[in-house]
Amino acid sequence: MKNFLKIHMYKKKINCLISADKRFKAENLCFKSFNGRSISMSFIDSYTGDKFFIKQFIKKESGYEGISITNFVNKKYYLVDILRDAGLLSYSSYKLKNICDVYMRDYLSGVNAAEYLKNLNESDFEKKSSELLLYLNKVMTAMRRNKLFVCLDLRLENFIILNDGTINIIDLDLTYIKLNSEDFEGNLYSKFFSNAITSLSHTQQLILF
């Protein structure tokens, strides 16, 4: 009941923030997730009919209280711009006017990589997992080129496969965690493989590793 009231309160607040921007008018505001630190929703813009994803950050991650939400959100937008300029994202992000704790982007309709890979035969799995690793390498190359040595949440659930097979990374919420530049790629690859183990069958693990 307590969370329900909080969600209802934040839903009304997010709707007001969207309306105040004047560029968008939300309808069908749909709750996605709430973890106490942030709340995520989707909505249809009644002006264009386009669908968007929006997340409001409520409080900081434990242990990172010294980092402001404003700086974190700005860094997240910066990383999205870097990856989009490199041709690695199919979506754009949008900053609401005078709002520093909200992240908004186009909504992506697709299947997360954990679900997508689970249903493939061995040949198709090998091909798509190779594409995913190549995509991850391009993401890290773009980040190194821009000297942005930060952490990413590399669970398979955070990669979306679109209908045409295009891969997108969607969750960039760990950009407040800095990594050593010398072992940047090794650190992220390690996180990717350790997370992938939990989503793959034994046969798929042998192919991937």
Side-chain angles (χ1 to χ4, degrees):
M1 183 65 177
K2 185 178 180 181
N3 276 352
F4 175 81
L5 292 175
K6 282 186 177 181
I7 290 168
H8 181 70
M9 178 188 71
Y10 283 115
K11 188 173 183 179
K12 288 179 64 176
K13 182 179 179 181
I14 288 173
N15 190 44
C16 289
L17 294 176
I18 295 169
S19 298
D21 186 271
K22 304 298 184 184
R23 293 176 297 166
F24 308 96
K25 185 176 181 182
E27 62 181 34
N28 298 329
L29 193 59
C30 179
F31 168 74
K32 290 295 182 182
S33 66
F34 174 70
N35 61 11
R37 299 184 303 276
S38 65
I39 184 167
S40 300
M41 298 190 178
S42 65
F43 71 92
I44 304 293
D45 177 32
S46 61
Y47 294 142
T48 63
D50 295 330
K51 191 173 183 179
F52 297 91
F53 170 89
I54 188 166
K55 175 181 282 192
Q56 182 170 27
F57 294 91
I58 301 164
K59 66 179 183 179
K60 303 166 190 175
E61 187 85 21
S62 177
Y64 295 91
E65 289 82 3
I67 300 172
S68 74
I69 289 178
T70 299
N71 288 341
F72 159 62
V73 173
N74 285 339
K75 189 178 289 185
K76 180 166 176 163
Y77 275 114
Y78 178 56
L79 178 54
V80 169
D81 288 343
I82 286 172
L83 299 183
R84 181 164 176 79
D85 288 346
L88 297 171
L89 298 180
S90 303
Y91 59 88
S92 296
S93 59
Y94 307 87
K95 284 188 178 182
L96 295 180
K97 296 174 182 175
N98 303 316
I99 306 298
C100 61
D101 60 355
V102 168
Y103 169 74
M104 180 173 147
R105 61 166 170 80
D106 296 319
Y107 188 89
L108 288 182
S109 296
V111 181
N112 73 61
E115 290 295 318
Y116 186 92
L117 294 173
K118 182 173 63 177
N119 298 315
L120 298 181
N121 59 41
E122 290 184 15
S123 176
D124 289 341
F125 174 83
E126 184 173 5
K127 179 181 178 182
K128 200 63 187 182
S129 59
S130 295
E131 290 178 16
L132 185 57
L133 288 172
L134 178 60
Y135 175 82
L136 178 56
N137 180 262
K138 290 179 178 178
V139 167
M140 292 187 293
T141 298
M143 293 173 70
R144 177 170 285 282
R145 186 184 303 121
N146 289 273
K147 296 181 173 57
L148 191 58
F149 304 111
V150 295
C151 195
L152 299 177
D153 189 353
L154 297 178
R155 291 174 294 159
L156 291 176
E157 289 82 1
N158 289 332
F159 294 89
I160 293 293
I161 314 295
L162 304 184
N163 291 335
D164 63 359
T166 302
I167 302 171
N168 280 259
I169 185 170
I170 57 168
D171 193 326
L172 303 171
D173 281 358
L174 297 184
T175 53
Y176 55 82
I177 301 177
K178 292 183 179 180
L179 299 178
N180 188 310
S181 62
E182 294 180 1
D183 195 32
F184 170 65
E185 289 83 359
N187 192 303
L188 288 187
Y189 272 127
S190 177
K191 290 180 181 297
F192 175 80
F193 285 117
S194 62
N195 286 327
I197 289 175
T198 62
S199 303
L200 302 177
S201 68
H202 178 66
T203 300
Q204 290 176 331
Q205 291 176 27
L206 292 176
I207 294 173
L208 184 63
F209 296 112

